Coordinates of all heavy atoms in Angstrom, one line a residue:
A1126 N 0.9 -1.2 0.0 CA 0.1 -0.1 0.1 C 0.9 1.2 0.1 O 2.0 1.3 0.7 CB -0.9 0.0 1.2
T1127 N 0.5 2.3 -0.7 CA 1.2 3.5 -0.7 C 0.6 4.4 0.4 O -0.6 4.8 0.4 CB 1.0 4.3 -2.0 OG1 1.6 3.4 -3.1 CG2 1.7 5.6 -2.0
S1128 N 1.3 4.6 1.5 CA 0.8 5.4 2.5 C 1.8 6.5 2.8 O 2.7 6.3 3.7 CB 0.6 4.5 3.8 OG -0.3 3.6 3.5
T1129 N 1.6 7.6 2.2 CA 2.6 8.8 2.4 C 2.3 9.7 3.7 O 3.1 10.5 4.0 CB 2.4 9.7 1.2 OG1 1.1 10.1 1.1 CG2 2.9 8.9 -0.2
R1130 N 1.1 9.3 4.4 CA 0.9 10.1 5.6 C 0.8 9.2 6.7 O 0.2 8.0 6.7 CB -0.5 10.8 5.4 CG -0.5 12.0 4.4 CD -1.8 12.8 4.4 NE -2.9 12.3 5.1 CZ -4.0 12.3 4.7 NH1 -4.4 12.5 3.5 NH2 -5.0 11.8 5.5
F1131 N 1.1 9.7 7.9 CA 1.0 8.8 9.2 C -0.3 8.2 9.4 O -0.4 7.1 9.7 CB 1.6 9.8 10.3 CG 1.5 8.9 11.6 CD1 2.4 7.9 11.9 CD2 0.6 9.2 12.5 CE1 2.3 7.2 13.2 CE2 0.3 8.5 13.7 CZ 1.2 7.6 13.9
D1132 N -1.3 9.2 9.4 CA -2.6 8.7 9.7 C -3.2 7.5 8.8 O -3.9 6.6 9.3 CB -3.7 9.8 9.7 CG -3.8 10.4 8.4 OD1 -2.8 10.6 7.6 OD2 -4.9 10.9 8.0
L1133 N -2.8 7.5 7.5 CA -3.2 6.4 6.7 C -2.3 5.2 6.9 O -2.9 4.1 7.0 CB -2.9 6.8 5.2 CG -3.9 8.1 4.8 CD1 -3.4 8.6 3.4 CD2 -5.3 7.8 4.9
R1134 N -1.1 5.3 7.1 CA -0.2 4.2 7.5 C -0.8 3.4 8.9 O -0.7 2.3 8.9 CB 1.2 4.5 7.7 CG 2.0 5.0 6.5 CD 3.4 5.0 6.8 NE 3.8 6.0 7.7 CZ 4.1 7.2 7.5 NH1 3.9 7.7 6.4 NH2 4.4 8.1 8.4
L1135 N -1.1 4.3 9.7 CA -1.5 3.9 11.1 C -2.7 2.8 11.0 O -2.7 1.9 11.7 CB -1.9 5.1 11.9 CG -2.0 4.7 13.4 CD1 -0.8 4.1 14.0 CD2 -2.5 5.9 14.1
I1136 N -3.6 3.1 10.1 CA -4.7 2.1 9.9 C -4.3 0.7 9.6 O -4.6 -0.3 10.4 CB -5.6 2.6 8.8 CG1 -6.2 3.9 9.1 CG2 -6.7 1.6 8.5 CD1 -7.0 4.6 7.9
L1137 N -3.4 0.6 8.8 CA -2.9 -0.8 8.4 C -1.8 -1.3 9.4 O -1.9 -2.4 9.6 CB -2.1 -0.8 7.0 CG -3.1 -0.6 5.8 CD1 -2.3 -0.3 4.5 CD2 -4.1 -1.7 5.6
T1138 N -0.9 -0.4 9.8 CA 0.0 -0.8 11.0 C -0.7 -1.4 12.1 O -0.4 -2.3 12.6 CB 0.9 0.4 11.2 OG1 1.4 0.8 10.0 CG2 1.9 0.0 12.3
R1139 N -1.7 -0.6 12.6 CA -2.5 -1.1 13.8 C -3.1 -2.5 13.6 O -3.2 -3.2 14.5 CB -3.5 -0.1 14.2 CG -3.0 1.1 15.1 CD -4.2 1.9 15.7 NE -3.6 2.9 16.5 CZ -4.3 4.0 16.7 NH1 -5.5 4.2 16.2 NH2 -3.7 5.1 17.4
L1140 N -3.7 -2.6 12.4 CA -4.3 -3.9 12.1 C -3.3 -5.1 12.1 O -3.5 -6.1 12.7 CB -4.8 -3.8 10.7 CG -5.5 -5.2 10.2 CD1 -6.9 -5.3 11.1 CD2 -6.0 -4.9 8.8
G1141 N -2.1 -4.7 11.6 CA -1.0 -5.8 11.8 C -0.7 -6.1 13.2 O -0.7 -7.3 13.6
F1142 N -0.5 -5.0 14.0 CA -0.1 -5.2 15.4 C -1.2 -6.0 16.1 O -0.9 -6.7 17.0 CB 0.1 -3.9 16.0 CG 1.4 -3.1 15.7 CD1 1.6 -1.9 15.4 CD2 2.7 -3.9 15.8 CE1 2.9 -1.3 15.0 CE2 3.9 -3.4 15.6 CZ 4.0 -2.1 15.2
D1143 N -2.4 -5.4 15.8 CA -3.7 -6.2 16.7 C -3.6 -7.6 16.4 O -4.1 -8.3 17.2 CB -4.9 -5.5 16.2 CG -5.1 -4.1 16.8 OD1 -4.3 -3.6 17.6 OD2 -6.0 -3.3 16.2
Y1144 N -3.2 -8.1 15.2 CA -3.2 -9.5 14.9 C -1.8 -10.3 15.2 O -1.7 -11.4 14.9 CB -3.4 -9.8 13.4 CG -5.0 -9.6 13.1 CD1 -5.6 -8.4 12.7 CD2 -5.7 -10.9 13.3 CE1 -7.0 -8.4 12.6 CE2 -7.2 -10.8 13.0 CZ -7.8 -9.6 12.7 OH -9.1 -9.5 12.5
G1145 N -1.0 -9.5 15.9 CA 0.3 -10.1 16.3 C 1.2 -10.2 15.0 O 2.2 -11.1 15.2
A1146 N 1.1 -9.4 14.0 CA 1.9 -9.7 12.8 C 3.3 -8.9 13.1 O 3.3 -7.9 13.8 CB 1.4 -9.2 11.6
R1147 N 4.4 -9.3 12.4 CA 5.6 -8.5 12.4 C 5.4 -7.5 11.3 O 5.3 -7.9 10.1 CB 6.8 -9.4 12.1 CG 7.0 -10.5 13.3 CD 7.8 -10.0 14.4 NE 9.0 -9.3 14.0 CZ 9.8 -8.6 14.6 NH1 9.3 -8.2 15.8 NH2 11.0 -8.1 14.3
V1148 N 5.3 -6.4 11.5 CA 5.1 -5.2 10.6 C 6.4 -4.6 10.1 O 7.3 -4.2 10.8 CB 4.3 -4.0 11.3 CG1 4.1 -2.9 10.3 CG2 2.9 -4.5 11.8
R1149 N 6.5 -4.8 8.8 CA 7.7 -4.2 8.0 C 7.2 -3.2 7.0 O 6.4 -3.3 6.2 CB 8.3 -5.3 7.4 CG 9.7 -4.8 6.7 CD 10.3 -5.8 5.7 NE 10.2 -7.2 6.1 CZ 11.0 -8.1 5.6 NH1 11.9 -7.7 4.7 NH2 10.8 -9.3 5.9
Y1150 N 8.1 -2.0 7.0 CA 7.8 -0.9 6.1 C 8.9 -1.1 5.1 O 10.1 -1.3 5.4 CB 7.9 0.4 6.8 CG 6.8 0.9 7.6 CD1 6.9 2.1 8.1 CD2 5.5 0.2 7.6 CE1 5.8 2.7 8.9 CE2 4.6 0.6 8.4 CZ 4.7 1.9 9.1 OH 3.7 2.4 9.9
V1151 N 8.6 -0.9 3.8 CA 9.7 -0.9 2.8 C 9.5 0.5 2.2 O 8.4 0.9 1.7 CB 9.4 -1.8 1.6 CG1 10.5 -1.5 0.5 CG2 9.6 -3.3 2.4
V1152 N 10.4 1.5 2.5 CA 10.3 2.9 2.1 C 11.2 3.1 0.8 O 12.3 3.0 0.9 CB 10.8 3.8 3.3 CG1 10.7 5.2 2.9 CG2 10.0 3.5 4.5
F1153 N 10.6 3.5 -0.2 CA 11.2 3.9 -1.5 C 11.6 5.3 -1.5 O 10.7 6.1 -1.3 CB 10.4 3.4 -2.7 CG 10.2 1.9 -2.7 CD1 9.0 1.4 -2.3 CD2 11.0 1.2 -3.4 CE1 8.8 0.1 -2.2 CE2 10.8 -0.2 -3.5 CZ 9.6 -0.7 -2.9
T1154 N 12.9 5.6 -1.6 CA 13.4 7.0 -1.5 C 13.8 7.3 -3.0 O 14.9 6.9 -3.5 CB 14.5 7.1 -0.6 OG1 15.6 6.1 -1.0 CG2 14.3 6.8 0.8
V1155 N 12.9 8.0 -3.7 CA 13.1 8.4 -5.1 C 13.1 9.9 -5.0 O 12.1 10.5 -4.5 CB 12.0 7.7 -6.0 CG1 12.1 8.2 -7.4 CG2 12.0 6.3 -5.8
P1156 N 13.9 10.5 -5.8 CA 14.2 12.0 -5.9 C 12.7 12.4 -6.6 O 12.0 11.8 -7.4 CB 15.2 12.3 -6.9 CG 16.0 11.1 -6.8 CD 15.1 9.9 -6.5
E1157 N 12.2 13.5 -6.1 CA 10.9 14.1 -6.6 C 10.8 14.2 -8.1 O 9.8 13.8 -8.8 CB 10.6 15.5 -6.0 CG 9.4 15.9 -6.3 CD 9.1 17.2 -5.5 OE1 9.6 17.5 -4.5 OE2 8.1 18.0 -6.0
R1158 N 11.9 14.8 -8.8 CA 11.8 14.8 -10.2 C 11.7 13.5 -10.9 O 10.9 13.4 -11.8 CB 13.2 15.6 -10.6 CG 13.3 15.8 -12.1 CD 14.4 16.4 -12.4 NE 14.6 16.7 -13.9 CZ 15.0 17.9 -14.5 NH1 15.3 18.8 -13.6 NH2 15.0 18.1 -15.7
Q1159 N 12.3 12.5 -10.3 CA 12.2 11.2 -10.9 C 10.8 10.6 -10.7 O 10.3 9.9 -11.6 CB 13.2 10.2 -10.3 CG 13.3 8.9 -11.1 CD 14.6 8.2 -10.6 OE1 15.2 8.5 -9.6 NE2 15.0 7.2 -11.4
L1160 N 10.2 11.0 -9.6 CA 8.7 10.5 -9.4 C 7.9 10.9 -10.6 O 7.2 10.2 -11.0 CB 8.3 11.1 -8.1 CG 8.6 10.4 -6.9 CD1 8.1 11.3 -5.6 CD2 8.1 8.9 -6.7
F1161 N 8.1 12.3 -10.9 CA 7.2 12.8 -12.0 C 7.5 12.2 -13.3 O 6.6 12.0 -14.1 CB 7.3 14.3 -12.0 CG 6.4 15.1 -10.8 CD1 7.1 15.3 -9.5 CD2 5.1 15.3 -10.9 CE1 6.4 15.8 -8.6 CE2 4.5 15.8 -10.0 CZ 5.1 16.1 -8.7
T1162 N 8.8 12.0 -13.7 CA 9.2 11.4 -14.9 C 8.6 10.0 -14.9 O 8.1 9.7 -16.1 CB 10.8 11.2 -14.9 OG1 11.2 12.7 -14.8 CG2 11.2 10.7 -16.2
R1163 N 8.8 9.3 -13.9 CA 8.4 7.8 -14.1 C 6.7 7.9 -14.1 O 6.2 6.9 -14.8 CB 8.7 7.1 -12.7 CG 10.2 6.7 -12.6 CD 10.4 5.9 -11.3 NE 11.7 5.4 -11.4 CZ 12.2 4.5 -10.4 NH1 11.4 4.3 -9.4 NH2 13.5 4.2 -10.5
N1164 N 6.2 8.6 -13.4 CA 4.7 8.8 -13.4 C 4.3 9.1 -14.8 O 3.3 8.5 -15.4 CB 4.2 9.8 -12.5 CG 2.6 9.9 -12.6 OD1 1.9 8.9 -12.3 ND2 2.0 11.0 -12.7
F1165 N 4.9 10.1 -15.6 CA 4.5 10.4 -16.9 C 4.8 9.1 -17.8 O 4.0 9.1 -18.9 CB 5.4 11.6 -17.4 CG 5.1 12.1 -18.8 CD1 4.1 12.8 -19.1 CD2 6.0 11.6 -19.8 CE1 3.9 13.2 -20.3 CE2 5.7 12.2 -21.2 CZ 4.6 12.9 -21.3
E1166 N 5.6 8.3 -17.6 CA 5.9 7.2 -18.5 C 5.0 6.0 -18.1 O 4.9 5.0 -19.0 CB 7.3 6.8 -18.3 CG 8.3 7.8 -18.7 CD 9.8 7.5 -18.5 OE1 10.1 6.6 -17.6 OE2 10.8 8.3 -18.9
R1167 N 4.3 6.1 -17.1 CA 3.2 5.0 -16.9 C 2.1 4.8 -17.8 O 1.7 5.8 -18.4 CB 2.7 5.2 -15.5 CG 3.6 5.1 -14.3 CD 3.0 5.4 -13.0 NE 2.0 4.5 -12.8 CZ 1.4 4.3 -11.6 NH1 1.6 5.2 -10.6 NH2 0.4 3.5 -11.3
E1168 N 1.6 3.6 -18.0 CA 0.4 3.4 -18.9 C -0.8 4.2 -18.4 O -1.6 4.8 -19.2 CB 0.1 2.0 -19.0 CG -1.0 1.7 -19.9 CD -1.3 0.1 -19.9 OE1 -0.5 -0.7 -19.6 OE2 -2.4 -0.1 -20.6
H1169 N -0.9 4.3 -16.9 CA -2.2 5.1 -16.4 C -1.4 5.9 -15.4 O -1.5 5.6 -14.2 CB -3.1 4.1 -15.9 CG -3.6 3.1 -16.8 ND1 -4.6 3.4 -17.8 CD2 -3.4 1.7 -17.0 CE1 -4.9 2.3 -18.5 NE2 -4.2 1.3 -18.0
P1170 N -1.0 7.1 -15.8 CA -0.3 8.0 -14.8 C -1.3 8.6 -13.8 O -2.5 8.8 -14.1 CB 0.3 9.2 -15.7 CG -0.5 9.1 -17.0 CD -1.0 7.6 -17.1
V1171 N -0.8 8.9 -12.6 CA -1.6 9.6 -11.6 C -1.6 11.0 -12.1 O -0.6 11.6 -12.6 CB -0.9 9.4 -10.2 CG1 -1.6 10.4 -9.3 CG2 -0.9 8.0 -9.8
P1172 N -2.7 11.7 -12.0 CA -2.8 13.1 -12.4 C -1.6 13.9 -11.7 O -1.4 13.8 -10.5 CB -4.1 13.7 -11.9 CG -5.0 12.4 -12.0 CD -4.1 11.3 -11.6
A1173 N -1.1 14.9 -12.3 CA 0.2 15.6 -11.7 C -0.3 16.3 -10.5 O 0.5 16.4 -9.6 CB 0.7 16.6 -12.8
G1174 N -1.4 16.9 -10.4 CA -1.9 17.6 -9.2 C -2.0 16.8 -8.0 O -1.7 17.1 -6.9
V1175 N -2.5 15.5 -8.2 CA -2.6 14.5 -7.1 C -1.2 14.0 -6.6 O -1.0 14.1 -5.5 CB -3.4 13.2 -7.6 CG1 -3.3 12.1 -6.6 CG2 -4.8 13.6 -8.0
L1176 N -0.3 13.8 -7.6 CA 1.0 13.4 -7.1 C 1.7 14.6 -6.5 O 2.4 14.4 -5.4 CB 1.8 13.1 -8.4 CG 3.3 12.4 -8.2 CD1 3.1 11.2 -7.3 CD2 3.9 12.2 -9.6
S1177 N 1.5 15.9 -6.9 CA 2.2 17.0 -6.2 C 1.6 17.2 -4.8 O 2.3 17.4 -3.9 CB 1.8 18.3 -6.9 OG 2.4 18.3 -8.2
K1178 N 0.4 16.9 -4.6 CA -0.2 16.9 -3.2 C 0.3 15.9 -2.4 O 0.6 16.2 -1.1 CB -1.8 16.9 -3.3 CG -2.4 17.0 -2.0 CD -3.9 17.2 -2.0 CE -4.5 17.2 -0.7 NZ -3.9 17.6 0.5
Q1179 N 0.5 14.7 -2.9 CA 1.1 13.6 -2.1 C 2.5 14.0 -1.7 O 3.0 13.7 -0.5 CB 1.1 12.4 -2.9 CG -0.2 11.7 -3.0 CD -0.1 10.3 -3.9 OE1 0.7 10.3 -4.7 NE2 -1.1 9.5 -3.4
V1180 N 3.4 14.5 -2.5 CA 4.7 14.9 -2.3 C 4.6 15.9 -1.2 O 5.4 15.9 -0.2 CB 5.4 15.5 -3.5 CG1 6.7 16.1 -3.2 CG2 5.7 14.3 -4.4
K1181 N 3.7 17.0 -1.3 CA 3.6 18.1 -0.3 C 3.2 17.6 1.0 O 3.8 18.1 2.0 CB 2.6 19.1 -0.9 CG 2.4 20.3 0.1 CD 1.3 21.2 -0.7 CE 0.6 22.0 0.4 NZ -0.5 21.4 1.0
D1182 N 2.3 16.6 1.0 CA 1.8 16.1 2.4 C 2.6 14.9 3.0 O 2.2 14.4 3.9 CB 0.4 15.6 2.2 CG -0.5 16.8 1.8 OD1 -0.3 17.9 2.0 OD2 -1.8 16.6 1.3
L1183 N 3.7 14.6 2.2 CA 4.6 13.4 2.7 C 4.8 13.7 4.2 O 5.5 14.6 4.6 CB 5.7 13.2 1.8 CG 6.7 12.1 2.3 CD1 6.1 10.9 2.0 CD2 7.9 12.2 1.4
E1184 N 4.7 12.5 4.9 CA 5.1 12.3 6.3 C 6.0 11.1 6.4 O 5.5 10.1 6.4 CB 4.0 12.2 7.4 CG 3.1 13.5 7.2 CD 1.9 13.3 8.1 OE1 1.6 12.2 8.6 OE2 1.1 14.3 8.3
F1185 N 7.2 11.4 6.3 CA 8.3 10.2 6.3 C 8.1 9.5 7.5 O 8.0 9.9 8.7 CB 9.7 10.9 6.2 CG 10.7 9.9 5.5 CD1 10.6 9.8 4.1 CD2 11.5 9.2 6.2 CE1 11.5 8.9 3.4 CE2 12.5 8.3 5.7 CZ 12.4 8.1 4.2
P1186 N 8.2 8.1 7.3 CA 7.9 7.2 8.5 C 9.0 7.2 9.5 O 10.2 7.3 9.2 CB 7.9 5.8 7.9 CG 7.8 6.0 6.4 CD 8.2 7.4 6.0
F1187 N 8.6 7.3 10.8 CA 9.7 7.1 11.8 C 10.0 5.7 12.0 O 9.2 4.7 11.7 CB 9.1 7.6 13.1 CG 8.9 9.1 13.2 CD1 7.7 9.6 13.0 CD2 10.0 9.9 13.4 CE1 7.4 11.0 13.0 CE2 9.8 11.2 13.4 CZ 8.6 12.0 13.2
L1188 N 11.2 5.3 12.4 CA 11.6 3.9 12.6 C 10.9 3.2 13.6 O 10.6 1.9 13.4 CB 13.1 3.9 13.1 CG 14.2 4.2 12.0 CD1 15.6 4.3 12.6 CD2 14.1 3.2 10.9
D1189 N 10.4 3.9 14.6 CA 9.4 3.0 15.6 C 8.1 2.8 15.2 O 7.3 2.2 15.9 CB 9.5 3.8 17.0 CG 8.9 5.1 16.9 OD1 8.4 5.7 15.9 OD2 8.8 5.8 18.1
E1190 N 7.6 3.2 14.0 CA 6.2 2.9 13.5 C 6.1 1.3 13.2 O 5.0 0.9 13.3 CB 6.0 3.7 12.3 CG 5.7 5.2 12.6 CD 5.4 6.0 11.3 OE1 4.6 5.3 10.6 OE2 5.8 7.0 11.1
A1191 N 7.1 0.7 12.9 CA 7.0 -0.6 12.5 C 8.1 -1.5 13.2 O 9.0 -0.9 13.7 CB 7.2 -0.9 11.0
H1192 N 8.0 -2.8 13.2 CA 9.1 -3.6 13.7 C 10.3 -3.5 13.0 O 11.4 -3.5 13.6 CB 8.6 -5.1 13.8 CG 7.5 -5.4 14.7 ND1 6.3 -5.7 14.3 CD2 7.4 -5.4 16.1 CE1 5.4 -5.9 15.4 NE2 6.2 -5.7 16.4
R1193 N 10.3 -3.5 11.7 CA 11.5 -3.2 10.9 C 11.2 -2.2 9.7 O 10.1 -2.2 9.2 CB 11.9 -4.5 10.3 CG 13.1 -4.5 9.5 CD 13.9 -5.5 9.3 NE 14.2 -6.2 10.6 CZ 15.3 -6.2 11.2 NH1 16.3 -5.6 10.7 NH2 15.6 -6.9 12.3
T1194 N 12.0 -1.3 9.3 CA 11.9 -0.5 8.2 C 13.0 -0.7 7.2 O 14.3 -0.7 7.8 CB 11.8 1.0 8.7 OG1 10.7 1.1 9.6 CG2 11.6 2.0 7.6
V1195 N 12.8 -0.8 6.0 CA 13.7 -1.0 5.0 C 13.8 0.1 4.0 O 12.7 0.5 3.6 CB 13.7 -2.4 4.3 CG1 14.7 -2.6 3.2 CG2 13.7 -3.6 5.2
Y1196 N 14.9 0.7 3.8 CA 14.9 1.7 2.8 C 15.6 1.3 1.5 O 16.5 0.6 1.4 CB 15.8 3.0 3.4 CG 15.2 3.4 4.7 CD1 15.6 3.0 5.8 CD2 14.2 4.4 4.6 CE1 15.0 3.5 7.0 CE2 13.6 4.9 5.8 CZ 14.0 4.4 7.0 OH 13.5 4.9 8.0
V1197 N 14.8 1.7 0.4 CA 15.3 1.3 -0.9 C 15.4 2.4 -1.8 O 14.6 3.3 -1.8 CB 14.2 0.2 -1.6 CG1 14.5 -0.2 -2.9 CG2 14.0 -1.0 -0.6
D1198 N 16.5 2.5 -2.7 CA 16.8 3.7 -3.5 C 16.0 3.6 -4.8 O 15.2 2.5 -5.1 CB 18.2 4.0 -3.7 CG 18.9 2.8 -4.6 OD1 18.3 2.0 -5.3 OD2 20.2 2.8 -4.7
A1199 N 16.1 4.5 -5.7 CA 15.4 4.7 -6.9 C 15.7 3.5 -7.9 O 14.9 3.2 -8.8 CB 15.8 5.9 -7.7
F1200 N 16.7 2.7 -7.6 CA 17.2 1.6 -8.5 C 16.8 0.3 -7.9 O 17.1 -0.7 -8.5 CB 18.7 1.7 -8.8 CG 19.1 2.9 -9.4 CD1 19.6 3.9 -8.6 CD2 18.8 3.2 -10.6 CE1 20.1 5.1 -9.1 CE2 19.3 4.5 -11.2 CZ 19.8 5.4 -10.3
G1201 N 16.2 0.3 -6.8 CA 15.7 -1.0 -6.1 C 16.8 -1.6 -5.1 O 16.6 -2.7 -4.8
N1202 N 17.8 -0.8 -4.8 CA 18.9 -1.3 -3.9 C 18.5 -0.9 -2.5 O 18.1 0.2 -2.2 CB 20.3 -0.7 -4.3 CG 20.7 -1.0 -5.7 OD1 20.6 -2.2 -6.2 ND2 20.9 0.1 -6.4
K1203 N 18.7 -1.9 -1.6 CA 18.5 -1.6 -0.2 C 19.6 -0.7 0.3 O 20.8 -1.1 0.1 CB 18.5 -2.9 0.5 CG 18.0 -2.7 2.1 CD 17.8 -4.0 2.8 CE 19.1 -4.6 3.3 NZ 18.9 -5.7 4.2
V1204 N 19.3 0.4 0.9 CA 20.2 1.4 1.3 C 20.4 1.6 2.8 O 21.2 2.4 3.3 CB 20.1 2.6 0.5 CG1 20.4 2.6 -0.9 CG2 18.8 3.3 0.8
G1205 N 19.3 1.0 3.5 CA 19.4 1.1 4.9 C 18.3 0.3 5.5 O 17.4 -0.2 4.8
E1206 N 18.4 0.1 6.8 CA 17.4 -0.7 7.6 C 17.5 -0.4 9.0 O 18.5 -0.2 9.6 CB 17.8 -2.2 7.4 CG 16.9 -3.2 7.8 CD 17.1 -4.6 7.4 OE1 17.9 -4.8 6.4 OE2 16.5 -5.6 7.9
G1207 N 16.3 -0.4 9.6 CA 16.3 0.0 11.0 C 15.1 -0.8 11.8 O 14.3 -1.6 11.2

């Protein structure tokens, strides 16, 4: 799921915690310019205004929100873990 805001992530995260699941976040760190380029190249792009709002409203996850957080760069390489 794409959850760029804390309140939206919390819904799924709490559900996982409530069921005793090990919750893992995979956070993709892609430069903003590349987000728009990739979006433009998609078969069904997200409207630019929607994508701009998501970027503006982004609330980067804190490490303590999940049991484990993995960071992945724009090329799919794991660049960090916590």
Side-chain angles (χ1 to χ4, degrees):
T1127 300
S1128 299
T1129 58
R1130 292 187 354 227
F1131 174 75
D1132 60 327
L1133 298 176
R1134 284 192 303 276
L1135 190 58
I1136 295 167
L1137 293 175
T1138 302
R1139 275 193 182 156
L1140 182 65
F1142 281 134
D1143 289 347
Y1144 278 92
R1147 296 278 303 162
V1148 176
R1149 180 190 326 197
Y1150 287 174
V1151 178
V1152 180
F1153 294 90
T1154 56
V1155 178
E1157 185 175 334
R1158 183 179 182 136
Q1159 194 169 10
L1160 285 175
F1161 285 92
T1162 300
R1163 286 183 176 186
N1164 183 56
F1165 180 75
E1166 295 169 350
R1167 292 176 63 170
E1168 184 177 345
H1169 302 287
V1171 175
V1175 172
L1176 190 56
S1177 292
K1178 182 166 177 17
Q1179 287 180 332
V1180 168
K1181 179 180 154 280
D1182 294 343
L1183 174 65
E1184 296 173 349
F1185 206 77
F1187 290 102
L1188 286 176
D1189 64 353
E1190 287 182 38
H1192 291 107
R1193 177 152 320 252
T1194 303
V1195 177
Y1196 299 94
V1197 178
D1198 68 13
F1200 304 102
N1202 302 308
K1203 184 168 91 171
V1204 294
E1206 193 168 343

